[in-house]
Amino acid sequence: MIRLTLGLTSLLALAACATTETEVPVATRIANTTPAVNVTARGETTPVGTANADAADDPAIWRNAADPAQSLIVGTDKKAGLYVYGLDGKTRDFLNAGRVNNVDLRDGVTIGGQPGILVVASDRSDVAHAKLALFRLDPATAKLTALGKVDAGTGEAYGVCLSREGAATYGFIVLKDGTIHQVALDASGAMPTGTIVRTMKLGTQSEGCAVDDRTGTLYVAEEDVGLWRFDARAAGSPTPTKIAAADGKNLVMDAEGVAIAPIGAKDGYVLVSSQGDNAYVVYRISDDSYVGRFRVVDGAIGGSEETDGIDLMLGDFGPAYPGGLFVAQDGHNATAAQNFKLVAWDDIGKALGLPR
């Protein structure tokens, strides 16, 4: 989400985007921010259909283990619905799903009696009554099929992320006021069902989230405050632990999208979009320590600015992304509508000097 608290530089950039749609440079760095390294994108998606608006928002990656180059990306146009893209960036499908804001997916979920890819989006069509919209993704055709919606509490739906705990699948819906409901999802029957099993709370507006299924940890970005983690288990404590403050140094508000790079049994990295200065911040999972910052800058493909949602998955994604794929929403996309930029995890790791 683009906030009016971004300052004069960002407001001018937004005005340019709304009128001439020209590519804006990476924002002027705030004086006391920690330096960031630069990487460039290796690919990008076709723009979403809603032009001249803050529309593209959040991506989710599905990796095709049998043929990694045929992996897929699901992305939201929060004014219109869901897109499915190939790694070549071309649109494979669009489903008119209405005002879906954030999206996540899990493979191997029982859907209508058969294992499949469950896609869940936060549905904000009714700002007073949050819902989760459920879909099946067909990996062969790249088509989405709507399964139905489940109630997710009173308030405006904003962020969403999924988790697996044993055989159970949960959706965490982050409401705009910082309330987080954990919803037990069941898509095995003719119509999906959902039951709120636990509620947590952050103090102010929050959105981006991600769950590390290995450790049972939920990460949530409170936009003007910082990055938090919770116990993601249904029986876990609802008390959060702050990982990082949005203090204008490493992390500049708004703190937005969250993604995880799992390494080994318990380690790896958690990434968060530092929207206020067009950067991405990396923290170590094992001890919550700061690792580094990077930006996606103009190269053969344009960079990414004002990023809302991000996703990341390690592993082989074919020749262009052999070590993993990072996807970031791009709030300013030259003369076109917003889209998503595709970055090789190898490039990020090399720029930050991460162990190989």
Side-chain angles (χ1 to χ4, degrees), residues 127-252:
V127 296
H129 299 93
K131 293 186 182 297
L132 291 174
L134 279 63
F135 309 86
R136 178 202 289 269
L137 174 62
D138 185 333
T141 64
K143 301 296 183 183
L144 287 164
T145 302
L147 301 174
K149 299 180 183 180
V150 301
D151 291 331
T154 301
E156 184 174 356
Y158 227 39
V160 72
C161 49
L162 300 183
S163 74
R164 301 294 300 276
E165 184 181 338
T169 300
Y170 294 100
F172 289 89
I173 186 161
V174 182
L175 305 184
K176 194 170 184 178
D177 69 355
T179 301
I180 305 158
H181 294 309
Q182 183 171 0
V183 184
L185 299 173
D186 185 352
S188 61
M191 289 293 293
T193 62
T195 303
I196 296 175
V197 298
R198 189 168 61 126
T199 297
M200 295 156 282
K201 186 72 171 74
L202 292 174
T204 61
Q205 185 165 307
S206 306
E207 183 177 6
C209 67
V211 178
D212 187 342
D213 287 339
R214 303 168 310 158
T215 62
T217 305
L218 165 68
Y219 298 91
V220 184
E222 186 177 3
E223 296 186 1
D224 292 349
V225 177
L227 180 65
W228 299 85
R229 58 176 167 83
F230 292 85
D231 190 331
R233 296 170 296 179
S237 168
T239 303
T241 299
K242 183 181 280 190
I243 295 174
D247 60 3
K249 296 178 181 179
N250 296 335
L251 182 58
V252 180

Side-chain angles (χ1 to χ4, degrees), residues 23-93:
E23 183 85 356
V24 298
V26 171
T28 302
R29 298 176 185 178
I30 297 173
N32 64 340
T33 54
T34 307
V37 299
N38 293 334
V39 299
T40 55
R42 296 192 184 189
E44 64 179 332
T45 67
T46 53
V48 298
T50 303
N52 299 315
D54 177 28
D57 197 274
D58 192 44
I61 301 167
W62 174 74
R63 180 176 175 270
N64 187 332
D67 189 355
Q70 297 304 310
S71 300
L72 300 170
I73 301 163
V74 180
T76 60
D77 179 337
K78 62 188 176 186
K79 311 290 186 182
L82 288 169
Y83 284 87
V84 181
Y85 305 100
L87 295 189
D88 59 2
K90 294 180 180 178
T91 299
R92 299 286 302 278
D93 189 32

